[in-house]
Amino acid sequence: MTRMELHCDTCARQRIFEQPACPDHPRATCPDRACTACGAAIMIAPVILLMDRRSRVILRQRRKAA
């Protein structure tokens, strides 16, 4: 099991979180973590990048009249 120190919202302080056993997860490691002090669990979700699909607007600077 992997252990790391994270902020626990239930305990309101830094606590040690460990990775619980996750036999139903397709990968060998589970993304969830559980606080060793109170048992509160957090999920660490993968980063999802969203692309901006709006068309780009090109701004041109107005030329000053001479």
Side-chain angles (χ1 to χ4, degrees):
M1 276 191 231
T2 309
R3 290 179 167 218
M4 61 175 48
E5 192 171 318
L6 298 169
H7 178 79
C8 179
D9 289 333
T10 306
C11 297
R13 60 189 343 192
Q14 292 285 86
R15 295 288 190 181
I16 296 175
F17 280 75
E18 63 182 16
Q19 197 171 22
C22 198
D24 58 341
H25 199 270
R27 289 185 283 157
T29 59
C30 190
D32 303 337
R33 301 287 190 263
C35 178
T36 57
C38 70
I42 59 170
M43 289 186 63
I44 300 176
V47 176
I48 299 172
L49 299 175
L50 300 175
M51 295 181 67
D52 188 7
R53 297 185 186 267
R54 294 177 289 179
S55 61
R56 292 185 180 200
V57 176
I58 300 172
L59 299 175
R60 295 186 184 158
Q61 208 173 24
R62 283 186 156 177
R63 295 185 185 189
K64 292 184 181 180

